[in-house]
């Protein structure tokens, strides 16, 4: 064999990928491989190599579908003996085509610290507790999702018997399975009827009176609202539930249109008037209500901090800046209704992010619900575009016998059994391998074809990368994790494809070359940890 020809044995690295002959020394760069031409088997007789003839059925694969013009030396293989950048196929190491995407992760560029992922409890207690699969539901919803933030609805009302024991039981089940106490948020859809101008918790096209009640002097009953919240917190404290954050009113910018009755209480950013159907109507103010509540609860032991404004849409958040300017809120709370895969409202989210940064406040995404792929997209948008530290899905479960089952809940309960739905897996991709105190680090796909986020553990001994492919074609992707994998040597990959049918599976360890295929309309999570 001539000196310039490949040194063909299984331990040498003559056969490798290339872009030009300059990378190959005395060899040629042929179809992306450093190799040499050959005329018969004897030219490549030593070690694990062979002369690939142009008539060989593997020749087209060698040149990525193009016709091979001359025979070339190739490395032979079994399943595990090919060099980096090649793959074993029918006994021959073939050059892998370039990836559709390359994902870069940079641990030196860091952003927000995570508070956690979770959901609104609402009235799920009475649906889960007593279900035949109660214990399994606890495992699925708490342990397997790694839930560490819960949003409570305020069930207390003075003068009415309130059973809070079910909420206590559910929280105890969560703590037992997750191993730590969750961060608790509390809100409500409406104050009690006695505190409403229309005399009811629900509103139905009566926007002019869907606000706080007025007193004899025509002032709004902010003091009554504040007292209601103090009594509520004291009632919950008696059973051991102490919210960390309190929202005085969910969706303060909204009241139901006629024919769509629902709990609501309109609060303008500050007390004043607004126009409705050509008439000026007077409404209570969010700022005044928040100040009254804070003043009333400030002497309670460890009083909750306020979060808000929890408006129905992202674009309504800046209107409530007065309460931020007064320093009354500890977190900016948003809802992502109206955002979706086609229009994730990145511009509006970035406005919210800038507003929160101006007042040095974290962002909580406290209520959203959508189907699986949409949920994965919304989580990405909230965490990456909005710098959110909390993401909450609206519903843990859709109850048994619901006339209109909620396809956007984590789990659909049935008379016998249950069905795990797309949003469950979308959340799990982000929540299962992260936790409170994890920090988001830089992660991006070079061509922008994937939604990408990455999180590093507080002890630096675990890294989680989440990839969302919203497109209609699969993407072969290289994860640029060379430095990270020097210390984070153990890995696991999970994948959920949402359409045409929901399919979730574990794919095992990340390949050594970091190359994986992200199916169309799917989410893939790569969890790396320090090996034992």
């Amino acid at each position: 064999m001539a000196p310039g020809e490949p040194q063909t044995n299984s331990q040498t690295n003559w056969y490798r990928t290339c872009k030009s002959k300059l990378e190959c020394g005395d060899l040629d760069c042929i179809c992306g491989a450093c190799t040499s031409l050959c005329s018969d088997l004897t030219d490549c007789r030593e070690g694990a190599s062979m002369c690939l003839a142009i008539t060989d059925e593997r020749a087209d694969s060698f040149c990525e579908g193009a016709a091979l013009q001359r025979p070339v030396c190739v490395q032979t293989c079994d399943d595990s003996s090919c060099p980096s950048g090649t793959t074993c196929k029918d006994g021959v190491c073939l050059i892998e085509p370039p990836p559709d995407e390359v994902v870069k992760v940079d641990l030196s560029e860091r952003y927000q610290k995570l508070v956690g992922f979770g959901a609104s409890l609402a009235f799920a207690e009475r649906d889960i507790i007593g279900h035949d699969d109660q214990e399994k539901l606890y495992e699925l919803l708490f342990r397997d999702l790694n839930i560490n933030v819960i949003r409570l609805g305020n069930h207390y009302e003075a003068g009415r018997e309130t059973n809070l024991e079910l909420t206590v039981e559910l929280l105890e089940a969560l703590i037992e399975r997750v191993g730590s106490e969750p961060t608790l948020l509390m809100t409500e859809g409406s104050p009690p009827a006695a505190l409403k101008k229309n005399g009811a918790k629900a509103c139905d096209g009566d926007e002019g009176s869907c606000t706080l009640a007025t007193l004899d002097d025509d002032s709004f009953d902010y003091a009554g609202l504040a007292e209601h919240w103090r009594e509520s917190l004291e009632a919950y404290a008696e059973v051991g539930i102490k919210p960390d954050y309190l929202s005085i009113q969910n969706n303060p910018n909204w009241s139901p249109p006629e024919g769509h009755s629902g709990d609501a209480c309109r609060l303008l950013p500050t007390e004043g008037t607004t126009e409705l159907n050509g008439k000026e109507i007077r409404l209570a103010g969010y700022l005044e209500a928040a100040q009254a509540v804070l003043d009333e609860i400030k002497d309670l032991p460890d009083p909750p901090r306020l979060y808000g404004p929890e408006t129905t849409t992202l674009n309504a958040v800046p209107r409530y800046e007065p309460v931020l300017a007064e320093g009354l809120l500890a977190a900016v709370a948003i809802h992502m209704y109206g955002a979706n895969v086609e229009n994730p409202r990145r511009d509006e989210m970035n406005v919210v992010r800038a507003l929160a940064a101006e007042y040095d406040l974290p962002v909580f995404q406290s209520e959203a619900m959508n189907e699986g792929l949409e949920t994965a997209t919304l989580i990405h948008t909230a965490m990456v575009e909005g710098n959110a530290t909390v993401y909450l899905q609206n519903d843990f479960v859709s109850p048994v016998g619901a006339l209109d089952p909620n396809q956007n809940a984590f789990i659909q309960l049935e008379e016998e059994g249950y069905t795990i739905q797309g949003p469950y897996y979308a959340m799990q991709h982000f929540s299962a391998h992260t936790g409170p105190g994890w920090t988001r680090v830089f992660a991006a796909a070079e061509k922008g074809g994937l939604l990408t986020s990455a999180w590093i553990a507080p002890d630096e001994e675990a890294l989680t990368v989440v990839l969302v492919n919203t497109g209609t074609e699969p993407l072969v992707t290289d994860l640029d994790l060379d430095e990270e994998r020097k210390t984070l040597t153990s890995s696991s990959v999970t994948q959920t494809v949402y359409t045409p049918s929901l399919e979730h599976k574990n794919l095992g360890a990340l390949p050594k070359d970091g190359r994986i295929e992200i199916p169309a309309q799917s989410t893939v999570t790569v969890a790396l940890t320090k090996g034992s």
Side-chain angles (χ1 to χ4, degrees), residues 16-252:
R16 59 188 185 274
T17 60
C18 60
K19 293 182 180 179
S20 71
K21 179 175 171 53
L22 295 176
E23 302 173 63
C24 299
D26 294 336
L27 302 177
D28 293 317
C29 184
I30 302 174
C31 293
C34 289
T35 184
S36 65
L37 299 175
C38 54
S39 58
D40 57 46
L41 292 177
T42 60
D43 289 342
C44 304
R45 66 182 180 274
E46 293 185 17
S49 67
M50 64 171 286
C51 187
L52 183 66
I54 61 175
T55 55
D56 193 304
E57 61 183 13
R58 296 167 291 189
D60 286 350
S61 297
F62 180 81
C63 271
E64 298 181 34
L68 184 64
Q69 301 299 313
R70 299 274 300 277
V72 295
C73 289
V74 295
Q75 184 168 317
T76 56
C77 61
D78 55 32
D79 289 342
S80 61
S81 61
C82 285
S84 176
T86 69
T87 187
C88 188
K89 184 176 181 180
D90 297 329
V92 173
C93 294
L94 300 176
I95 302 299
E96 295 178 346
D100 301 307
E101 272 290 7
V102 175
V103 171
K104 173 67 176 178
V105 175
D106 185 352
L107 301 187
S108 67
E109 190 169 341
R110 304 196 174 196
Y111 307 99
Q112 77 273 31
K113 284 191 176 182
L114 189 64
V115 174
F117 296 96
S120 295
L121 198 54
F123 293 96
E125 304 99 320
R126 62 194 184 196
D127 297 314
I128 297 172
I129 295 173
H131 191 277
D132 289 344
D133 294 294
Q134 173 183 309
E135 294 301 318
K136 180 60 176 177
L137 291 172
Y138 285 161
E139 298 295 309
L140 287 168
L141 291 170
F142 301 149
R143 185 199 64 190
D144 296 350
L145 278 182
N146 190 31
I147 291 300
N148 36 61
V149 183
I150 293 290
R151 184 175 180 238
L152 302 172
N154 182 10
H155 300 336
Y156 173 80
E157 190 169 337
R160 298 180 62 181
E161 183 179 352
T162 306
N163 182 6
L164 302 180
E165 296 304 323
L166 293 179
T167 304
V168 172
E169 181 176 340
L170 215 60
L171 291 177
E172 289 177 346
L174 185 153
I175 293 168
E176 179 183 346
R177 285 155 180 81
V178 177
S180 61
E181 293 189 8
T183 296
L184 295 180
L185 283 58
M186 181 176 282
T187 190
E188 66 182 2
S190 171
L195 292 172
K196 292 283 294 301
K197 193 172 184 179
N198 67 345
K201 294 182 70 174
C203 299
D204 188 350
D206 47 354
E207 186 170 17
S209 60
C210 187
T211 191
L212 284 180
T214 53
L215 302 173
D216 292 341
D217 62 358
D218 205 32
S219 63
F220 289 104
D221 192 5
Y222 299 117
L225 178 68
E227 184 179 351
H228 158 67
W229 272 112
R230 182 185 180 97
E231 291 177 353
S232 298
L233 293 172
E234 289 173 338
Y236 274 87
E238 286 183 4
V239 296
I241 299 175
K242 300 188 70 174
D244 300 286
Y245 293 89
L246 171 65
S247 169
I248 62 170
Q249 176 58 50
N250 191 42
N251 299 327

Side-chain angles (χ1 to χ4, degrees), residues 440-455:
R440 186 169 68 85
V441 299
F442 176 86
E446 287 184 353
K447 299 177 184 178
L450 290 170
L451 303 179
T452 307
S453 62
W455 305 82

Side-chain angles (χ1 to χ4, degrees), residues 17 82-88 94-97 99 101-103 476-482 485 491 509-517:
T17 60
C82 285
S84 176
T86 69
T87 187
C88 188
L94 300 176
I95 302 299
E96 295 178 346
E101 272 290 7
V102 175
V103 171
V476 175
T477 302
D478 278 359
L479 296 186
D480 186 1
L481 297 170
D482 289 346
R485 294 190 75 178
S491 64
L510 180 69
K512 291 183 179 180
D513 60 5
R515 178 166 290 195
I516 53 176
E517 181 176 295

